[in-house]
Amino acid sequence: SMQCFPGLVLTLSSLLGALALLQLSLYLRVPSRYGKHEERLCRPRGRLPARCAWFLQELPSFLVPALLLALRSPPRLEPLGCRLLCCLFCWHYFYRTFIYPFFTRGRPFPLQLLFFGMLFCIYNGFLQGYYLIYCAEYPNDWCTDIRFTSGLLLFLLGMGINIHSDLLLRQLRKPGEVTYKIPQGGLFTYISGANYFGEIVEWFGFAIATWSPPAFAFAFFTLCCIGPRAYHHHRYYLKTFTDYPKSRKALIPFVF
Ligand code: NDX
């Protein structure tokens, strides 16, 4: 049966960090081409309805760690921390796979990016799940450690901001509409990328709570992936709406 290979975990985490840097270099200047940044001429044949696309893309990030957790034999009994942390990860992707897609009013999503997104979710789901279920070892009192408690708090706060902001974005459109409007309310009062800010806080919280190379690599990846995207959204809004709130920042309230 499966066991822990620390070398494998470190290699996969480093690769994830390298992928993050690749993303950063690719998407700092030009945004990834989906949603409001998709080129107009993209053939409709190369796209899938947003619902199917987000469901398929995110499903592996839920399924892979959930299966690793359920199928581990013998079941891992000692550290409560590992299972709890794996459940947190699955909880986020339960929302992203089974709830978010069914309410989204987003435009059809490019198949090519869906393919890469799915590969990414398989890779990351395996890395986080495998590490937590087969490798991680926490002291018995990890649940009262300041890293666990503060990380968990950040995770919950970030998740709350992310879900609330997703909801505010969705309410900007009636069903069937595909136009863009100025987001209002919640953290959108201060930043253009409120949903991204929430997601970044969430994964840094997760990284602090698990205190592990895979989770820090993923938090860094998230920052490199959607950080630039928040900046491109911000520029898009400034270009599109002359009445866009002047004091609003891109990603970090009052700063940037
Ligand atoms: N999926 C993470 N890389 C990604 C999909 C894209 O979960 O080739 C990363 C994720 C993938 C990416 C994933 C991995 C890397 C890929 C990339 C594409 C290229 C890249 C594969 C897996 C790649 C290499 C080179 C390394 C291979 O019509 P619409 O869709 O624009 O409508 C939108 C609507 N909306 C508005 N409606 C009215 N008025 C407005 N002003 C509006 N503004 C937006 O709201 C959408 O329906 C909805 C949200 O839109 P948006 O653009 O704000 O968010 P979006 O980017 O679609 O993300 C949705 C949520 C969000 O909460 C975000 O935090 C989370 O997913 N997310 C997204 C991306 C990555 C990620 C989280 C993470 O890294 N943790």
Side-chain angles (χ1 to χ4, degrees), residues 12-29:
L12 293 182
S13 304
S14 313
L15 261 172
L16 187 54
L19 203 65
L21 289 175
L22 174 71
Q23 293 260 116
L24 195 64
S25 68
L26 281 177
Y27 298 124
L28 216 48
R29 274 156 193 262

Side-chain angles (χ1 to χ4, degrees), residues 103-179:
F103 291 104
T104 182
R105 288 169 187 170
R107 300 176 172 191
F109 194 89
L111 267 174
Q112 207 181 359
L113 298 189
L114 168 72
F115 175 74
F116 285 120
M118 236 178 123
L119 280 185
F120 174 79
C121 286
I122 295 171
Y123 183 97
N124 190 49
F126 174 78
L127 175 58
Q128 308 299 330
Y130 175 74
Y131 173 79
L132 285 170
I133 302 305
Y134 287 92
C135 298
E137 277 175 41
Y138 296 105
N140 284 328
D141 59 353
W142 182 248
C143 293
T144 56
D145 189 290
I146 183 78
R147 283 164 291 182
F148 180 85
T149 48
S150 62
L152 179 64
L153 213 72
L154 276 180
F155 177 89
L156 295 174
L157 183 75
M159 193 174 189
I161 293 172
N162 180 250
I163 293 178
H164 179 233
S165 309
D166 278 347
L167 185 90
L168 291 174
L169 283 176
R170 195 180 78 227
Q171 289 171 343
L172 290 172
R173 287 175 179 168
K174 295 188 188 72
E177 236 180 354
V178 286
T179 52

Side-chain angles (χ1 to χ4, degrees), residues 19 22-23 26-27 32 34-36 54 57-58 93 96 100 104-107 109 113 116-117 120-121 162 166 169 172-173 179-181 183 195-196 199 203 218 221-222 225-226 229 233 237:
L19 203 65
L22 174 71
Q23 293 260 116
L26 281 177
Y27 298 124
S32 46
Y34 67 93
K36 55 172 75 71
W54 281 91
Q57 178 176 262
E58 308 291 318
Y93 281 102
R96 185 66 74 221
Y100 177 79
T104 182
R105 288 169 187 170
R107 300 176 172 191
F109 194 89
L113 298 189
F116 285 120
F120 174 79
C121 286
N162 180 250
D166 278 347
L169 283 176
L172 290 172
R173 287 175 179 168
T179 52
Y180 291 105
K181 293 167 193 159
N195 53 338
Y196 294 153
E199 181 110 14
W203 294 118
F218 177 46
F221 177 91
T222 300
C225 178
I226 59 186
R229 209 170 149 77
H233 278 15
Y237 288 136

Side-chain angles (χ1 to χ4, degrees), residues 2-13 16 64-65 68-69 72 76 79 81-83 85-86 89 122-139 142 147 206-218:
M2 240 197 288
Q3 61 189 90
C4 177
F5 297 103
L8 178 68
V9 169
L10 275 182
T11 308
L12 293 182
S13 304
L16 187 54
V64 174
L68 284 173
L69 184 63
R72 152 122 200 189
R76 190 166 185 171
C82 301
R83 274 175 297 156
L85 287 162
C86 194
F89 186 85
I122 295 171
Y123 183 97
N124 190 49
F126 174 78
L127 175 58
Q128 308 299 330
Y130 175 74
Y131 173 79
L132 285 170
I133 302 305
Y134 287 92
C135 298
E137 277 175 41
Y138 296 105
W142 182 248
R147 283 164 291 182
F206 183 73
I208 294 167
T210 60
W211 208 252
S212 69
F216 274 105
F218 177 46

